[in-house]
Structure formats: structure tokens, C-alpha cells
DNA sequence: TTGTAAGCGTTATCAA
DNA sequence: TTGATAACGCTTACAA
């Protein structure tokens, strides 16, 4: 910017009319404009290749057209797919998709929300699971209240510890579904590779496993819970730790697919056969899940579709103002070849 | 937005001073403000949890703080890494990172640039390779000129067919480096899996291979060029086509790692051993390249670092206004186990 | 040290 | 059918 910007006034001058008239033409206003001037204005716009300054429009209309999307890690296929789905739906409709990558840091997430507030974002999507942290909850609380007072649309994917429109993805259910599958295949001694400790999503998936085990009179001993961080690398490290207890288990549920994939890779690397020696399941159904050795049995959370549903929801609530409901997604067990029937 | 927004006036009222004074406090203005009023203003800001409306600030300062990043496919690790690098550097500094996912469509890319122009973006990064398309060039030309007149910082990663600051990534050189490696290992019959036809990057990498072959008195026959699209799936499909000509070649260069990975996967799937039966190399050094079977030999383009370099460049040129230079990245051959020495 | 007023590029209101 | 004017929230001369 900084230099000379073409404004509505320049157009008005060229079309020999007032800025008001130009505005009316731009916005297809109901207010009548003669065909003649309309043509002149359009010609001028074309000639100058003018586009109205949306910043100024935003100031006037009290809308920024900014949609904030707060993500934990854009390099994680899970978030990349979701963002792509959102973008696909949104960017075509003159909204700005503003990404924040928080690496699950409280500080960065608070910063992101503050920025979005300062920029008067029309909507904010908390795309990642909530952080389980008192400081986080406290800091967020007041900002969220204010955002709500300003009329910002707030959407939480997965339950968040503040009152916004929280969409349940069925994390607990997803864990139950794969656990059930393991159980049906005769597995009783099941280990768990955890997600990030401070993440509510990890908690939910862990609970799903525990609940399903409990329903069947089984338990998840603490020593069969291994650290993880939702990443491929985390899965690899877990595999190394898991080796010691390999004779105590027949199957392992990884908190997400990325972890499961890393786990399988390192297990292979260590000469342990999946599923012959040990069965592995994940959660998410990432695109790459079908290309591991063996292909990963998992639960599909159709993330891209979730993204387009988010986009649709946002668009409807921002534009048409009607209080449209969110289309939730379906979970589905995806059987591939990483589970052995030992029953 | 839409409802009641807290403004500088509210703060002024509470602090019993003028909006001007509040503004001075907010901006740490040189203009003197008494310690007493400063404290009162700060207290009021805190009490109201006020943050200045950056849209309004932007209108005044003729800055939007928007940085547009146009990407081909955010689900491609290549772009995800780059965006993460940019974001990491930028979002901490009160800029808005505005993502567009174009799927290499001329229409979408033009739309993205028009949106960015309408939003008076301070900078635009053309993160993906240029599209080779006459219509694209024409449509872009005038917009680019205008953007330049407005003072927008324009950065092209890889050469683009319009005059902006184009950063060469050394695509041609990268292809030469891996080709050289193949040659050193005794390979003479080398196939190529192409990238998207309309992409300049594909062209450059193909040329690199051809040039290096030519230097050694070799050629790349047309029937040894297989279609691809820079994706894992594309690599898989290419593998199936390649099967017919398997006896005519000893090695294959995939236009990028994603392709190479898909290729290797499908080759394995078809019972063809890499590198025993055929050697495979890629370009990019994606994070997942070291986890294929066998781990992929490739050329590293440190993409995340490229992203942070982009962020740094943008920040320096936007804030300090000094005409800082772009830090280019280094290419490096990454030898892993997908190439067999047959010399 | 403080404040008034004009203006950034738009659009809504009102008048002509 | 057209246009002057005020206003959106903020900053920047200019005055006091």
C-alpha cells in the first residue's frame, strides 16, 4: 500500500457522478440508478480496475470478513485437511481465512485470540482440542465473553472449557469403536499410546478405551499407557518403550493415526511383525493410513468433510444470519490389516 | 461484531481525558503524556479489556496488516511446512496470515489475488510454482502492476511470469544433483515421473534431468516420461504404467518426494524391489521421506526454513522498510537407501 | 501537557 | 434519479 490507491472518488470523477452513486452501483443497491450512469460507472471501474477497499467497507459495516482458524499444527494432516475444507468453502465467498498455528502453547493460543479480537474477526474456529490448563481457561474466559458481546461467531471443534458452540466429534465414541473391534478379535491385553498430556482430546480418547474395557470387565493398567504427542515421531519413541512390555500385550490403541503410523514403522524396524506379533489400531483415518505396512485399521473421522461443514455453517450464520445448525460427521470403523484375530 | 464494540472513546470517558490522549498512550507516542493520565488510561484500558480496532487503524495508516499466502495444496507437506514457517515468524508480530488454496487452478489463483487486492494486503507470497498458462499471465499482469503501484510487497517462490521479487529455489539444480548421484551409481537408463503439466516447477525439474543427461551424452526419451501430479496417488499410478517398461530402465527420478513415495509404495505392492530391481530418487526431502521402505534418497529443500526466511524478509521489509535481501536456502543431497550402485 | 478537528474510504440518511 | 453530509474508530496536525 502506502502509495496511491484508487478510490471510489477516482471512479466518481471519471464517471462524472458522485461517490454515492458509485457506491450504489458497486453494491447493486435498491436505490435507483439510471442505466446510463450505471454504464458509465461500470466503465470507469473497469478502466481503473477498481476494487472497493474492503477495510473501509468493514469499518463502516462493522464487519472484518476475517475468519480466524486456530490450529495446533498445520503440518499434521488432520489439521491440513480441515483447513483445506474450510478454505474451499470460505475463500470463494470473499472471506479472509486467517490461520494461527499454536503448537498447543497456551501463550500462543491466547495471543491468537487477542489478535483476532483486535482485528474484529467475524468468526473464530477453535479447530484443535481444548488445552487442559487452568491459566488457559482463566485467560480465555474474559476474552471469550467480550467476543461474544461483540457478536463474534465462536465455534469449538471438540468440547472447550468456555461457552461457545462446541461441536462434539465423538472422540470418546471413536476410541470405543476401535476398542470394540479389538475385543471382538479376541484381544484382552491392550496398551494405549497417549496424546499430549494437556489436551482434552487425549483425555477423551483414553476414557473411551477405559470405558469400553470396563464394560467388559477389563482395565487399562497405568504401566500400559505410554507417552505420545500425536506425532509420527512420538509413535516411534513409544514403540521403543513398548518393546519391554511386548509379552504383556496383544494389541495397542494409538491415540491417533500419526502415532499409530510411527509405532508401526518402528515396530517393523525392530523386527516385530504387525499384526502377527501385535495388533495396532489408530483413530482419524488420515489419508496416509492406508499406505502403512500393514495398512492401518482405524476409525474414520472425515476431516475434510468436517472442514466443509464448518465452512458451510460459518457462511450461513455470517451471511444469511439464520441460526443454522451444524452438520455433524459420522464415525466409521475402517478395517484394514493391522489387527489379527486371536479369538 | 455487530453489537457494541468498546472504542477509544469509552476508554477516554473512563480515564477522563480525550481520545487523542488515549491514542497517544496506546501507541507509545513521542508526544508527552503525564504519568498520571497515562496511568489512568492504562487502568481504563485494562478495566475495559480494550484493544484498538485494527481495521480502523489500518484505514488510517493505509496498512491492512494482511499477508496473503497463495498455496497450491495445503495438504501437501511441502506447503504445510512452508506455511508453518511463515506463520511462526509472522503471526507473533501482529500480522494476519491469509491463506488461499488454489489447487493449481488459474481461476482460483486470480480470485485469490483479487481478494488480496481488495483487502489491500500489505504483502503477497506466491508460494507455489507459476502456472504455465497464457490466460493466467494475462489476467495477472494488470493486477500485479496495480498491486505494485499500491506498494504491495510481492514475493514469488520460484520464477513467476510477472515482475515481482522471484526467489529461485534451484529446482533445476536440485534435479541435476540427484541425477548426478544416479549417474555416479552407474545408472544410464533413467525414467522421469513428471509433475503437473501446467506447472513451471515441473518443467524446471525435468529440464535439470535432461541437461545433466545431455552433459553426459545421454537423453531422456519421451516414452520414459510418465505422467504425475506431485501427489502420492500420482506416484502410485505412474508405478503401474512404469511396469511395462521396467526392463528398459534402472532408475527413476520422481519430480517430487510425494510422487517418489507413492511410486515406491506401489512398486513394493507389485513385488518390485527398490532398490534391488530399480532405484528411485525424489526431490524435496519431505519429513516422511525417511520413513518409506526403503528410505528415500532425495535432495533437501529446507522448506520450513524457507518459510521462516520468507517471514523474516517480509517482516523486515514491512516494518523497518529497509530493503533487506532474501536469505536463500541450500540444496543438499540426502543419501538414503533407495539407490543401488550398479557401476 | 491536553484537546479539537479533519480525514482515511466507504455507506446510510436525508434532502433535492 | 442524484448528491451532500455525517459517521464508522482511529491518528495526526494544529491549537491551546
Amino acid at each position: 500500500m502506502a502509495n496511491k490507491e484508487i478510490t471510489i472518488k477516482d471512479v466518481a470523477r471519471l464517471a462524472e457522478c458522485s461517490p454515492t452513486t458509485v457506491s450504489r452501483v458497486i453494491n447493486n443497491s435498491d436505490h435507483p440508478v439510471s442505466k446510463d450512469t450505471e454504464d458509465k460507472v461500470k466503465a470507469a471501474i473497469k478502466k481503473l480496475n477498481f476494487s472497493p477497499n474492503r477495510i473501509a467497507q468493514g469499518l463502516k459495516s462493522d464487519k472484518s470478513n476475517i475468519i480466524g482458524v486456530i490450529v495446533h499444527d498445520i503440518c499434521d494432516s488432520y489439521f491440513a485437511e480441515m483447513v483445506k475444507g474450510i478454505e474451499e468453502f470460505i475463500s470463494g465467498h470473499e472471506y479472509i481465512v486467517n490461520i494461527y498455528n499454536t503448537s498447543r502453547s497456551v501463550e500462543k493460543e491466547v495471543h491468537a485470540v487477542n489478535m483476532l479480537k483486535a482485528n474484529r474477526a467475524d468468526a473464530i474456529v477453535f479447530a484443535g482440542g481444548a488445552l487442559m490448563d487452568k491459566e488457559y481457561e482463566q485467560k480465555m474466559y474474559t476474552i471469550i465473553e467480550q467476543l461474544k458481546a461483540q457478536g463474534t461467531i465462536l465455534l469449538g471443534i471438540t468440547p472447550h472449557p468456555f461457552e461457545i458452540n462446541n461441536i462434539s466429534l465423538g472422540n470418546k465414541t471413536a476410541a470405543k469403536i476401535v476398542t470394540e473391534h479389538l475385543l471382538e478379535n479376541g484381544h484382552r491385553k491392550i496398551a494405549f499410546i497417549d496424546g499430549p498430556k494437556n489436551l482434552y482430546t487425549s483425555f477423551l480418547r483414553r476414557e473411551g478405551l477405559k470405558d469400553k474395557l470396563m464394560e467388559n470387565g477389563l482395565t487399562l493398567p497405568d504401566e500400559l499407557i505410554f507417552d505420545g504427542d500425536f506425532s509420527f515421531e512420538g509413535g516411534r519413541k513409544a514403540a521403543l518403550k513398548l518393546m519391554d512390555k511386548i509379552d504383556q500385550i496383544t494389541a495397542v490403541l494409538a491415540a491417533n493415526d500419526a502415532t499409530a503410523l510411527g509405532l508401526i514403522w518402528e515396530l517393523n524396524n525392530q523386527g516385530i511383525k504387525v499384526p502377527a506379533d501385535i495388533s495396532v489400531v489408530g483413530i482419524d483415518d488420515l489419508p496416509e493410513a492406508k499406505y502403512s505396512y500393514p495398512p492401518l485399521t482405524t476409525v474414520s473421522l472425515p476431516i475434510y468433510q468436517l472442514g466443509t461443514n464448518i465452512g458451510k455453517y460459518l457462511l450461513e450464520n455470517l451471511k444469511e444470519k439464520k441460526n443454522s445448525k451444524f452438520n455433524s460427521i459420522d464415525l466409521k470403523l475402517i478395517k484394514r490389516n493391522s489387527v489379527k484375530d486371536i479369538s
Side-chain angles (χ1 to χ4, degrees), chain A:
Chain A
M1 320 265 320
N3 288 25
K4 53 171 179 198
E5 155 165 12
I6 293 162
T7 77
I8 209 172
K9 286 185 189 168
D10 299 311
V11 177
R13 200 172 304 123
L14 188 61
E16 295 171 311
C17 67
S18 73
T20 307
T21 303
V22 176
S23 172
R24 293 205 255 256
V25 172
I26 291 170
N27 301 296
N28 287 312
S29 156
D30 288 338
H31 196 105
V33 175
S34 78
K35 186 80 182 80
D36 191 42
T37 36
E38 183 180 338
D39 288 345
K40 277 203 288 187
V41 169
K42 283 186 174 166
I45 288 174
K46 187 149 204 173
K47 177 154 186 200
L48 297 173
N49 198 18
F50 164 80
S51 34
N53 183 332
R54 294 187 63 81
I55 301 284
Q57 289 181 319
L59 183 60
K60 197 77 184 82
S61 65
D62 202 17
K63 282 190 171 320
S64 63
N65 297 306
I66 293 174
I67 291 178
V69 179
I70 301 177
V71 127
H72 291 161
D73 180 7
I74 191 68
C75 291
D76 181 338
S77 296
Y78 177 93
F79 291 110
E81 288 277 328
M82 200 189 313
V83 167
K84 189 173 177 179
I86 297 173
E87 201 278 348
E88 197 94 351
F89 224 92
I90 287 294
S91 285
H93 293 261
E94 55 196 22
Y95 282 95
I96 292 173
V97 176
N98 180 13
I99 296 283
Y100 290 89
N101 198 89
T102 66
S103 309
R104 302 194 179 90
S105 133
V106 171
E107 195 187 349
K108 283 193 182 172
E109 181 144 345
V110 171
H111 173 78
V113 180
N114 274 322
M115 286 295 299
L116 257 2
K117 176 179 166 241
N119 283 299
R120 306 299 189 263
D122 292 342
I124 301 179
V125 180
F126 295 85
L131 271 18
M132 300 202 302
D133 182 296
K134 274 293 158 222
E135 190 197 345
Y136 171 71
E137 287 186 37
Q138 279 163 13
K139 286 198 177 165
M140 289 305 247
Y141 187 78
T142 45
I143 315 176
I144 296 288
E145 286 311 306
Q146 210 161 4
L147 250 9
K148 277 156 76 172
Q150 282 180 193
T152 312
I153 294 178
L154 267 10
L155 188 63
I157 307 305
T158 273
H160 283 71
F162 24 84
E163 279 184 27
I164 60 177
N165 187 1
N166 282 305
I167 305 302
S168 168
L169 240 47
N171 277 302
K172 205 165 178 175
T173 310
K176 285 186 177 185
I177 290 172
V178 266
T179 306
E180 175 87 45
H181 180 65
L182 253 19
L183 259 13
E184 283 172 5
N185 280 273
H187 296 278
R188 293 294 175 270
K189 294 178 290 181
I190 303 173
F192 182 66
I193 317 291
D194 214 342
K197 283 272 180 289
N198 63 340
L199 200 62
Y200 193 51
T201 310
S202 316
F203 171 78
L204 289 171
R205 293 183 175 187
R206 196 169 56 235
E207 286 302 297
L209 168 59
K210 283 187 177 175
D211 285 4
K212 180 55 80 177
L213 288 177
M214 187 114 55
E215 285 173 24
N216 290 268
L218 268 21
T219 58
L220 174 64
D222 281 348
E223 79 247 29
L224 257 36
I225 300 178
F226 297 87
D227 285 350
D229 59 3
F230 270 5
S231 78
F232 189 99
E233 286 299 337
R236 281 190 54 205
K237 283 181 197 152
L240 266 11
K241 294 259 176 68
L242 194 106
M243 307 272 296
D244 297 339
K245 315 246 165 116
I246 200 91
D247 47 342
Q248 297 176 39
I249 56 181
T250 64
V252 24
L253 164 55
N256 74 348
D257 279 3
T259 304
L261 263 15
L263 182 78
I264 290 180
W265 191 92
E266 189 61 46
L267 253 17
N268 272 324
N269 196 36
Q270 299 291 333
I272 296 175
K273 296 284 171 238
V274 177
D277 299 336
I278 190 165
S279 294
V280 175
V281 292
I283 297 174
D284 283 346
D285 194 28
L286 255 31
E288 52 264 45
K290 57 172 172 294
Y291 297 124
S292 61
Y293 302 88
L296 182 67
T297 291
T298 184
V299 189
S300 90
L301 271 72
I303 303 301
Y304 176 80
Q305 188 197 322
L306 173 65
T308 57
N309 287 358
I310 295 171
K312 186 162 174 288
Y313 171 86
L314 257 22
L315 228 46
E316 287 175 356
N317 282 276
L318 284 168
K319 286 205 147 173
E320 305 161 29
K321 294 274 176 199
K322 68 168 167 172
N323 228 322
S324 96
K325 286 303 281 176
F326 189 90
N327 289 337
S328 57
I329 56 171
D330 293 324
L331 303 181
K332 207 168 72 187
L333 176 68
I334 307 290
K335 286 188 217 174
R336 289 197 270 246
N337 303 318
S338 61
V339 173
K340 182 183 174 189
D341 189 346
I342 61 170
S343 60

